[in-house]
């Protein structure tokens, strides 16, 4: 009889040990960015009540097991949608996606949160995080920039909505970063056109850069390339266009000087402009 009791006690202890190990294994395997190896069935059926599941979801979130957290929050939200906890669940649901670098899903759910809880004290933060998710999803400058433009639009809407909010400074900094990335994209295209001797396309591209992003970190170099490009463009033009295009060399050099009279590009630009001035004057005298 005593032997049976010992076996029973050992079995119970092993059951609890395995349960504890399984839950901790869930946390261990849920490092941010790694594949979720915990099945839905295994997570969901462990908790008998919605309250247990809610506490578990928060533990997963706090431990960084964001994939498991999103699964439980998704199941919980319909159960709490009419209760105060619904606010917290939907916010943490969106934030779990964000912390797991699934930025488009996070943005979608933060925007949904703003629509569902417009009077919540967290609505400003949710609006900011939705816009920030688009910013974080912005790709490198050398690929299509549709997502970057969407991020700028979202951040600008946020700034317009909360002009005195605590996230405005961060939002404006992100807008500047994105606009500089778009300027870099345009500059690289203009530079490519110049290097392949497509001077008309280079002129258009670089002039548009200055018009769209006049305060970018590429402004000085773009002006310098316009000096060089205008010179080449003039030399390869028909006679009737040369006068106008040599004048452009001089004009862009003056703009570069006005922008920064200590620019490292200015000495070379002035040398090119001096040559353009001689050729322009020669055309005028003929």
């Amino acid at each position: 009889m005593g032997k049976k009791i010992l076996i029973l006690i050992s079995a119970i202890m092993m059951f609890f040990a395995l349960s504890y190990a399984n839950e901790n294994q869930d946390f261990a395997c849920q490092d941010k960015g790694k594949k979720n190896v915990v099945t839905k069935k295994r997570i969901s059926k462990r908790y008998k009540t919605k309250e247990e599941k809610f506490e578990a979801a928060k533990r997963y979130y706090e431990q960084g097991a964001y994939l498991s957290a999103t699964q439980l929050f998704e199941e919980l939200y319909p159960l709490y949608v009419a209760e105060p906890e619904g606010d917290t669940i939907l916010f943490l649901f969106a934030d779990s996606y964000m912390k797991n670098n699934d930025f488009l899903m996070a943005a979608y759910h933060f925007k949904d949160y703003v629509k569902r809880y417009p009077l919540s004290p967290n609505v400003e933060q949710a609006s900011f995080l939705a816009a920030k998710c688009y910013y974080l999803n912005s790709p490198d400058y050398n690929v299509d920039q549709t997502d970057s433009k969407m991020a700028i639009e979202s951040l600008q809407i946020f700034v317009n909505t909360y002009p005195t909010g605590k996230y405005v400074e961060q939002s404006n900094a992100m807008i500047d970063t994105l606009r500089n990335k778009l300027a870099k994209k345009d500059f690289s295209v203009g530079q490519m056109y110049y290097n392949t001797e497509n001077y008309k396309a280079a002129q258009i591209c670089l002039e548009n850069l200055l018009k769209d992003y006049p305060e970018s970190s590429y402004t000085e170099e773009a002006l310098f390339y316009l000096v060089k490009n205008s010179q080449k463009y003039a030399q390869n033009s028909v006679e009737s266009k040369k006068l106008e295009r040599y004048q452009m060399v001089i004009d862009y050099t003056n703009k570069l000087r006005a922008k920064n009279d200590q620019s490292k590009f200015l000495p070379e630009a002035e040398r090119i402009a001096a040559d353009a001035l001689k050729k322009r004057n020669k055309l005028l005298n003929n």
Side-chain angles (χ1 to χ4, degrees):
M1 183 72 178
K3 187 176 181 180
K4 289 182 178 180
I5 292 173
L6 286 173
I7 292 171
L8 179 61
I9 292 171
S10 297
I12 292 170
M13 290 177 67
M14 184 174 292
F15 171 78
F16 283 111
L18 286 171
S19 297
Y20 177 81
N22 283 339
E23 182 153 349
N24 281 281
Q25 181 185 20
D26 291 349
F27 291 137
C29 70
Q30 286 292 302
D31 291 337
K32 185 166 62 175
K34 294 185 179 179
K35 184 178 179 182
N36 184 7
V37 296
V38 183
T39 65
K40 287 187 176 183
K41 182 177 179 181
R42 180 174 161 192
I43 295 173
S44 299
K45 292 198 172 181
R46 181 176 303 147
Y47 310 107
K48 295 180 180 179
T49 67
K50 67 178 186 178
E51 290 79 13
E52 287 181 2
K53 188 178 288 188
F54 186 23
E55 292 304 312
K58 289 189 288 186
R59 285 201 305 275
Y60 279 123
Y61 175 84
E62 290 164 2
Q63 293 288 332
Y66 300 118
L67 290 173
S68 294
T70 56
Q71 180 198 316
L72 292 180
F73 285 134
E74 185 175 21
E75 294 173 7
L76 281 164
Y77 186 66
L79 305 177
Y80 281 101
V81 67
E83 301 179 36
E85 292 86 351
D87 180 316
T88 300
I89 289 169
L90 188 54
F91 188 93
L92 293 179
F93 181 43
D95 200 45
S96 294
Y97 273 118
M98 184 177 182
K99 285 182 165 59
N100 205 51
N101 298 331
D102 193 342
F103 300 122
L104 291 182
M105 284 295 291
Y108 173 84
H109 289 296
F110 276 127
K111 289 167 74 174
D112 186 43
Y113 177 92
V114 171
K115 291 177 185 176
R116 291 175 183 267
Y117 301 100
L119 301 180
S120 169
N122 297 320
V123 72
E124 180 182 347
Q125 184 182 10
S127 298
F128 169 69
L129 292 176
K132 184 177 180 179
C133 282
Y134 288 122
Y135 168 80
L136 293 171
N137 198 58
S138 171
D140 290 338
Y141 80 93
N142 55 349
V143 296
D144 181 75
Q145 292 298 304
T146 299
D147 287 338
S148 297
K149 292 173 183 176
M150 182 186 297
I152 290 172
E153 182 181 353
S154 298
L155 287 162
Q156 193 61 62
I157 290 171
F158 173 79
V159 170
N160 293 343
T161 305
Y162 299 97
T164 60
K166 62 180 179 179
Y167 301 107
V168 167
E169 187 175 342
Q170 292 181 58
S171 298
N172 285 328
M174 286 189 281
I175 290 171
D176 290 343
T177 298
L178 290 166
R179 286 177 62 80
N180 206 55
K181 183 187 291 187
L182 295 179
K184 185 176 182 179
K185 171 80 170 180
D186 287 356
F187 177 73
S188 68
V189 173
Q191 192 177 43
M192 180 270 294
Y193 282 135
Y194 174 81
N195 291 336
T196 56
E197 300 181 1
N198 190 343
Y199 302 120
K200 181 178 181 179
Q203 199 82 6
I204 293 169
C205 187
L206 293 168
E207 286 174 348
N208 284 339
L209 185 158
L210 294 178
K211 181 175 67 176
D212 295 337
Y213 312 108
E215 300 304 322
S216 82
S217 61
Y218 296 92
T219 300
E220 284 184 35
E221 196 167 3
L223 284 166
F224 177 55
Y225 263 85
L226 278 166
V227 170
K228 296 195 296 180
N229 191 78
S230 298
Q231 178 83 330
K232 297 285 188 181
Y233 198 17
Q235 290 171 353
N236 289 274
S237 298
V238 296
E239 287 298 315
S240 61
K241 294 288 186 180
K242 285 186 176 182
L243 183 63
E244 171 192 347
R245 288 166 185 168
Y246 280 128
Q247 182 61 48
M248 289 167 63
V249 177
I250 300 164
D251 292 343
Y252 281 121
T253 300
N254 290 335
K255 288 181 180 180
L256 177 58
R257 186 183 299 106
K259 179 69 178 176
N260 180 7
D261 62 6
Q262 300 298 313
S263 173
K264 65 180 181 179
F265 303 111
L266 191 56
E268 179 65 12
E270 288 178 334
R271 187 194 65 76
I272 296 170
D275 181 67
L277 179 61
K278 289 179 185 178
K279 290 175 179 177
R280 188 204 67 169
N281 289 341
K282 186 177 179 179
L283 288 169
L284 286 172
N285 292 332
N286 291 338

